[in-house]
Amino acid sequence: MSPLAAATLEFAVAKSKSTPAPLFMRAVTKGDVTHALTPTHDQKIVLIVICVYALAILVLWHVPYLKLILLPFKLVTVALHEFSHAAAGLCTGAKITSITIDPDEGGLTRMRGGKWCCVMPAGYLGSSFLGALMVFAGFDVLASKI
């Protein structure tokens, strides 16, 4: 081995002993996994809020007179669902003839043309995406005002 190669090797060995290796270069321990999966204080609060909301919706959904509290939110969800169908129809060349939202939590988007394979799943995907945007906007003061 040449003197330059030996000196380079000695320097690399000395440096590796003085600084710990990055995580991708060393074995992952149980502590690393536990640390990575343990939620922070803020994440714990968000998880608790989500669970409380889910429990409240579950109770309100099935109690006869209290479920009227959720009716406006259900109708907004139906509207987002139908508008997502319409948006996908427009993007695929359809002509929207009407959008109907029924007070009994139903809806209908009538269109001519468009790609069926794109329009059909767009209702669920679009309303879920827009709902998620609203939830995330709730964490930012500026975004919640827009």
Side-chain angles (χ1 to χ4, degrees), residues 12-75:
V13 170
K15 185 171 181 171
S16 68
K17 289 181 182 177
S18 64
T19 59
L23 186 60
F24 66 89
M25 292 180 63
R26 63 181 175 89
V28 178
T29 64
K30 183 179 177 183
D32 293 334
V33 174
T34 303
H35 178 70
L37 294 177
T38 302
T40 64
H41 178 69
D42 292 338
Q43 291 170 335
K44 288 178 185 177
I45 291 173
V46 170
L47 289 172
I48 291 170
V49 168
I50 288 171
C51 290
V52 168
Y53 279 153
L55 183 64
I57 289 171
L58 184 67
V59 169
L60 290 174
W61 200 280
H62 296 290
V63 176
Y65 293 107
L66 293 180
K67 69 180 180 179
L68 293 175
I69 295 170
L70 288 180
L71 184 61
F73 299 106
K74 291 178 182 180
L75 292 177

Side-chain angles (χ1 to χ4, degrees), residues 46-135:
V46 170
L47 289 172
I48 291 170
V49 168
I50 288 171
C51 290
V52 168
Y53 279 153
L55 183 64
I57 289 171
L58 184 67
V59 169
L60 290 174
W61 200 280
H62 296 290
V63 176
Y65 293 107
L66 293 180
K67 69 180 180 179
L68 293 175
I69 295 170
L70 288 180
L71 184 61
F73 299 106
K74 291 178 182 180
L75 292 177
V76 167
T77 303
V78 171
L80 292 174
H81 178 94
E82 296 306 324
F83 288 139
S84 297
H85 282 304
L90 289 173
C91 288
T92 59
K95 182 180 182 325
I96 308 301
T97 57
S98 69
I99 296 176
T100 306
I101 298 174
D102 186 22
D104 292 328
E105 303 161 20
L108 176 66
T109 301
R110 294 180 188 260
M111 65 182 77
R112 289 190 197 126
K115 301 280 185 195
W116 182 84
C117 61
C118 296
V119 172
M120 292 309 290
Y124 293 113
L125 296 174
S127 59
S128 298
F129 177 72
L130 292 171
L133 283 180
M134 288 184 216
V135 169

